Amino acid sequence: MKLPIYMDSLATTPVDPRVLDKMLPYFKERFGNAASTTHPFGWDAEEAVETARDQVADLIGADASEIIFTSGATESNNLAIVGAARMYADKGNHIIISETEHKAVLDPTYSLKAQGFDITYLKVDKYGLIDPEDVRKSITDKTILVSIMAANNEIGTVAPIGEIGKITREKGVLFHTDAVQAVGKIPFNVNESNVDIASLTAHKMYGPKGCGALYVRKKEPRVKLIPIIEGGGHENGMRSGTLNVPGIVGFGAACELCMNEMEDESKRLSGLREKLYFLITGHLDEVYLNGHPEKRLPHNLNLAFRFVEGQSLLLGLKNVALSAGSACSSKNSNASHVLMATGIGEELASNTVRFGIHRFTTDEEIDYVADEVIKVVKQLRDLSPLYKEGFANNKLKSFNFNTN
Ligand SMILES: *Cc1c(COP(=O)(O)O)cnc(C)c1O
């Protein structure tokens, strides 16, 4: 077993070696610009891009002509939200999103708000679940877009996007979903869920960084967006700029692998996840599961270790790469907005650590990580007067997941 162990797959995944093999020729002899129409170098690159477009489209049940390549999901989310807001501004100024969206959805809505748009931030329940009926109730005749993420990147909760899609379709409102964490991990189909716009990124599904896509529905309804990057008119004018051909080739290959392997992989990963959970909770008390117990991504485990600072736990786990709460919020001391939205409170939010297992995680690694977590949590709690006091006064509620 090689150390350190990577267990932060919701921040990024390793590139699958099979993906890299497909990409390499496009850095070397097949370096053409996909927009060059006058020679074989360009034709070759263009053909590779179109193959990848098919592969991405197939994975989500779309038509290849509905896929726009971007630099990643941050750009895709910006294009979806700002692009739709600008396009449909004469129809209305109301947008509905959830409180637990990624910053790449939240931040553009703050800018739109400053420009006069009316934004509804829907609350979630204690599992981070959105109630589709809340979406229905919030839609007005000014609503132009609903944006709800398919699966949460921190707590792993999977949203009822099929139910939300039924409502938005019935009401004639566009539905965008940040599908980054769901695509390639759990079934996701734009037609079955009535999704009109969807953001994807390669580096969360064993592809390269800096390459993503936006799915934009072409019929029933035909969605139009105002581009945010203008230039040579690439991608049907929706996203100008020379295409990242090696990245796109890798993205396509990554999608094909997910399509073929997702079913078996999700079973294996959820098995490993359950094992990690039961090992930890079998040896430690006062451990709380964040996110929904069943409606969650197979590779995500998010735990709060009461009386232990998540940051201290990470420092103690020298050979394991994890995140405290969220990768984005761990840079500042503010509690994660996602955990706070579930109502667990600032203290438990600061006790939280996220485990992200992945395609290359082994059984042996799970054992090692569980052992280390148990050891370090016990050490830190031995130093915690609060923990000891809790026992002395018998104040601790029995909240033990121990099943043995
Ligand atoms: C990682 C992530 C993004 C941002 O994707 P990039 O390709 O890194 O810009 C957006 N949304 C979610 C849910 C993510 O997990």
Side-chain angles (χ1 to χ4, degrees), residues 153-273:
N153 51 300
E154 292 188 37
I155 56 177
T157 298
V158 174
I161 58 160
E163 289 172 59
I164 297 168
K166 262 192 211 130
I167 293 168
T168 50
R169 184 56 42 87
E170 184 193 311
K171 296 269 187 184
V173 171
L174 293 182
F175 180 28
H176 165 252
T177 184
D178 176 344
V180 165
Q181 297 287 354
V183 170
K185 313 293 170 48
I186 56 173
F188 176 83
N189 183 296
V190 290
N191 293 319
E192 283 166 17
S193 297
N194 289 313
V195 167
D196 299 313
I197 317 171
S199 302
L200 279 58
T201 193
H203 78 100
K204 305 269 174 83
M205 45 186 291
Y206 312 101
K209 290 166 191 58
C211 184
L214 189 67
Y215 158 78
V216 184
R217 183 174 289 281
K218 269 244 162 108
K219 23 178 222 262
E220 295 164 34
R222 180 182 179 88
V223 179
K224 288 187 189 165
L225 302 173
I226 299 213
I228 52 175
I229 299 178
E230 294 174 284
H234 306 75
E235 300 294 275
N236 282 326
M238 294 298 297
R239 200 282 187 176
S240 290
T242 300
L243 291 177
N244 171 4
V245 179
I248 289 168
V249 167
F251 189 10
C255 286
E256 190 173 311
L257 290 173
C258 284
M259 179 113 153
N260 297 334
E261 299 176 8
M262 184 169 78
E263 212 179 309
D264 290 341
E265 186 164 275
S266 71
K267 279 193 202 119
R268 189 184 81 87
L269 296 187
S270 58
L272 289 179
R273 194 260 317 273

Side-chain angles (χ1 to χ4, degrees), residues 80-370:
I81 292 171
V82 179
R86 288 187 188 155
M87 184 71 215
Y88 299 103
D90 55 349
K91 272 195 172 175
N93 70 338
H94 182 223
I95 294 173
I96 300 168
I97 74 165
S98 79
E99 279 186 347
T100 55
E101 295 300 313
H102 191 272
K103 292 283 185 207
V105 166
L106 284 169
D107 285 350
T109 67
Y110 300 149
S111 305
L112 289 173
K113 203 170 172 181
Q115 292 161 30
F117 281 86
D118 178 17
I119 318 286
T120 297
Y121 299 92
L122 290 180
K123 297 218 177 306
V124 294
D125 70 6
K126 63 175 177 176
Y127 300 120
L129 270 179
I130 195 118
D131 181 351
E133 284 311 308
D134 287 346
V135 175
R136 185 194 297 280
K137 283 183 226 150
S138 304
I139 292 174
T140 71
D141 55 2
K142 290 272 191 295
T143 310
I144 50 173
L145 182 71
V146 170
S147 176
I148 305 288
M149 72 202 310
N152 188 271
N153 51 300
E154 292 188 37
I155 56 177
T157 298
V158 174
I161 58 160
E163 289 172 59
I164 297 168
K166 262 192 211 130
I167 293 168
T168 50
R169 184 56 42 87
E170 184 193 311
K171 296 269 187 184
V173 171
L174 293 182
F175 180 28
H176 165 252
T177 184
D178 176 344
V180 165
Q181 297 287 354
V183 170
K185 313 293 170 48
I186 56 173
F188 176 83
N189 183 296
V190 290
N191 293 319
E192 283 166 17
S193 297
N194 289 313
V195 167
D196 299 313
I197 317 171
S199 302
L200 279 58
T201 193
H203 78 100
K204 305 269 174 83
M205 45 186 291
Y206 312 101
K209 290 166 191 58
C211 184
L214 189 67
Y215 158 78
V216 184
R217 183 174 289 281
K218 269 244 162 108
K219 23 178 222 262
E220 295 164 34
R222 180 182 179 88
V223 179
K224 288 187 189 165
L225 302 173
I226 299 213
I228 52 175
I229 299 178
E230 294 174 284
H234 306 75
E235 300 294 275
N236 282 326
M238 294 298 297
R239 200 282 187 176
S240 290
T242 300
L243 291 177
N244 171 4
V245 179
I248 289 168
V249 167
F251 189 10
C255 286
E256 190 173 311
L257 290 173
C258 284
M259 179 113 153
N260 297 334
E261 299 176 8
M262 184 169 78
E263 212 179 309
D264 290 341
E265 186 164 275
S266 71
K267 279 193 202 119
R268 189 184 81 87
L269 296 187
S270 58
L272 289 179
R273 194 260 317 273
E274 292 307 290
K275 181 179 172 188
L276 181 60
Y277 178 68
F278 285 114
L279 283 173
I280 290 173
T281 54
H283 291 87
L284 295 171
D285 57 7
E286 296 287 325
V287 179
Y288 298 80
L289 177 72
N290 293 315
H292 197 281
E294 288 109 39
K295 294 171 187 163
R296 71 185 300 130
L297 292 168
H299 56 298
N300 172 289
L301 183 62
N302 190 300
L303 298 176
F305 298 87
R306 206 167 161 212
F307 304 111
V308 174
E309 277 302 309
Q311 294 289 356
S312 313
L313 178 52
L314 296 199
L315 285 174
L317 294 167
K318 288 190 186 60
N319 285 316
V320 189
L322 301 173
S323 263
S326 135
C328 305
S329 62
S330 64
K331 276 188 214 122
N332 50 53
S333 59
N334 297 337
S336 133
H337 70 285
V338 175
L339 292 170
M340 293 308 285
T342 65
I344 68 167
E346 225 163 295
E347 194 190 324
L348 273 183
S350 74
N351 299 152
T352 291
V353 168
R354 179 184 69 183
F355 301 83
I357 56 180
H358 56 84
R359 186 173 285 166
F360 307 104
T361 302
T362 64
D363 211 51
E364 206 186 357
E365 288 179 336
I366 295 288
D367 288 330
Y368 179 89
V369 172

